[in-house]
Amino acid sequence: MKNVLMATAATLLATSAMADVNIGNPMAMTGPIPDLNAPIAAAVDLAATHVNAQGGMFADGEAFNVIRADSACDPTAAVDAVTKLINVNGVSAIVGPVCSGATIAQAESVAIPAGVLTLSVSASSPAISTMEDGTDLVFRAAASDAYQGVALAELAMANGYSDIAVSYANDDYNAAIAAVFVEAFEGMGGTVTANEAHEPNKASYRSEVATMGGTSDNLALFSYYGSGGITLMRNALETSAFTNFIGADGMLSDELIEQIGAENLMTSTFTTSASDASTPSFAAWAALADEAGVPASDPFVANGYDATFMMALAIEHAGSDDREAIAASLRAIASGPGEVILPGQWAEAKAILAAGGDINYEGAAGNQDFDENGDVAGNFSKSTIVDGAWAAELIQ
């Protein structure tokens, strides 16, 4: 009898687990950007909390579970993590990864062949736009660097930089945005005096700095702060090789201030994906984030919330967590026509979908209308040091 009861209990548990909706969430918990990753992960969890607190999934209120794995901002680690999420955990879709190289590798090697949708929270390499051939399984909630690289070049020109040296880490993300920046800057009439790759995680970059130093007072630095960016910048400052620094979100961190000193960053500007704080959708998001202790305006935090909330909406719209149906439903819930749904409005969306209506999610990070490549337009901000801390301003 004991064995029968145990078997019955095991069957009930298995049935309950199968009834839940499980999505995979490969995040850069370790690697070069853990500080950037942490609040994004908190936003992912907050979105799941809102779904479960307002009725859960489908008519029976199944749980919406986020199963997290460490992609480490590394292609190999991402492939390993997503392989387990899909083949062992049996997730229906992927929200993440954070980094472009990790996103591309897991999608090409694992997710696309398995027919599993990927919705990255922040991967921005232009290569992602054209990586699919006949499928519609890779999306992202943050804008491509095809846009950010141009915005950064415009900012450099606005700052009065007629010439600039460029140093970029030899990885998918940083090499791609550097290439966009160089093309845009030169197209605007600027002169690129040096354009050099550097390998991540070196103990010193004095030789690289010496090669570029003296060619310009200005350096465009594309690197992750935790895998060599801080070291290269420190070497450049120690040798007075450059006066002004500009770059993208891989360098935007409090650790840079802690390691370099705010007083040494007064001529530094870094851009990142941003939200328009004047919109009703951001106001709704900010109220929810503030209540939960999540930094609403930190880089890609709003995007992390949007990606998770949209994935839940897409699965609800599909009527099941069948992998094949989710991609078409993702497009359906993110664009008009339909009743506008703001961050946190799960109960409202659920009721409309149950009645056969259409919804149009307006995200915390802005409009989430996907183009044919699964890209969104997005907004960008520039961050400079004010009173010893980073202060962001939306780029108009």
Side-chain angles (χ1 to χ4, degrees):
M1 175 65 88
K2 180 179 179 181
N3 288 339
V4 173
L5 289 173
M6 290 178 65
T8 302
T11 301
L12 289 172
L13 285 171
T15 303
S16 176
M18 289 175 64
D20 290 348
V21 173
N22 299 321
I23 65 165
N25 183 224
M27 298 289 279
M29 298 155 66
T30 62
I33 56 167
D35 291 344
L36 182 70
N37 176 87
I40 303 173
V44 169
D45 294 340
L46 182 59
T49 296
H50 290 158
V51 170
N52 290 320
Q54 297 179 46
M57 303 296 299
F58 314 130
D60 292 335
E62 286 92 341
F64 180 68
N65 300 322
V66 174
I67 302 177
R68 184 157 296 139
D70 187 9
S71 57
C73 199
D74 175 78
T76 301
V79 168
D80 292 343
V82 175
T83 297
K84 181 179 179 182
L85 287 169
I86 291 175
N87 294 336
V88 178
N89 300 113
V91 300
S92 301
I94 297 295
V95 169
V98 175
C99 299
S100 294
T103 299
I104 292 169
Q106 67 82 28
E108 288 181 337
S109 300
V110 188
I112 292 175
V116 175
L117 177 72
T118 294
L119 176 53
S120 174
V121 299
S122 59
S124 53
S125 170
I128 294 173
S129 298
T130 57
M131 66 177 291
E132 292 189 85
D133 184 13
T135 59
D136 191 31
L137 292 171
V138 181
F139 294 75
R140 50 184 161 181
S144 167
D145 285 329
Y147 302 108
Q148 185 175 192
V150 173
L152 191 58
E154 291 173 344
L155 183 60
M157 296 298 289
N159 286 352
Y161 304 163
S162 59
D163 58 64
I164 199 164
V166 176
S167 180
Y168 62 90
N170 190 19
D171 60 54
D172 288 324
Y173 167 70
N174 289 294
I177 190 171
V180 172
F181 171 81
V182 167
E183 181 179 359
F185 187 73
E186 290 180 332
M188 296 172 190
T191 300
V192 175
T193 60
N195 187 11
E196 303 289 337
H198 63 265
E199 294 303 318
N201 298 310
K202 292 181 64 175
S204 173
Y205 292 96
R206 287 183 175 273
S207 61
E208 288 86 349
V209 170
T211 300
M212 298 181 294
T215 66
S216 174
D217 288 333
N218 313 306
L219 177 65
L221 176 56
F222 300 98
S223 181
Y224 293 121
Y225 67 86
S227 61
I230 291 177
T231 302
L232 194 152
M233 194 166 181
R234 180 186 291 113
N235 292 161
L237 288 166
E238 288 171 345
T239 58
S240 300
F242 299 98
T243 302
N244 305 304
F245 298 85
I246 197 169
D249 33 53
M251 287 295 295
L252 186 57
S253 73
D254 289 338
E255 186 174 342
L256 182 62
I257 298 175
E258 293 167 6
Q259 295 289 327
I260 300 294
E263 69 278 7
N264 298 313
L265 297 171
M266 300 304 294
T267 57
S268 298
T269 305
F270 298 107
T271 59
T272 189
S273 180
S275 303
D276 184 349
S278 68
T279 64
S281 57
F282 184 83
W285 155 244
L288 296 168
D290 290 348
E291 182 181 3
V294 174
S297 297
D298 275 19
F300 300 112
V301 173
N303 309 79
Y305 183 94
D306 286 344
T308 310
F309 205 74
M310 283 193 293
M311 190 63 79
L313 288 170
I315 295 171
E316 184 79 13
H317 178 276
S320 77
D321 58 355
D322 177 66
R323 293 171 175 175
E324 190 172 340
I326 298 174
S329 287
L330 180 62
R331 289 189 178 278
I333 60 91
S335 304
E339 188 166 340
V340 171
I341 296 296
L342 301 180
Q345 293 183 333
W346 177 258
E348 292 90 334
K350 186 177 177 69
I352 294 167
L353 292 174
D358 295 322
I359 61 172
N360 175 19
Y361 180 69
E362 293 292 331
N367 189 297
Q368 292 290 325
D369 291 352
F370 297 106
D371 67 13
E372 62 181 4
N373 296 318
D375 289 342
V376 295
N379 301 298
F380 301 99
S381 66
K382 58 180 180 180
S383 291
T384 55
I385 294 293
V386 177
D387 295 330
W390 294 117
E393 177 185 349
L394 196 68
I395 299 174
Q396 302 295 338

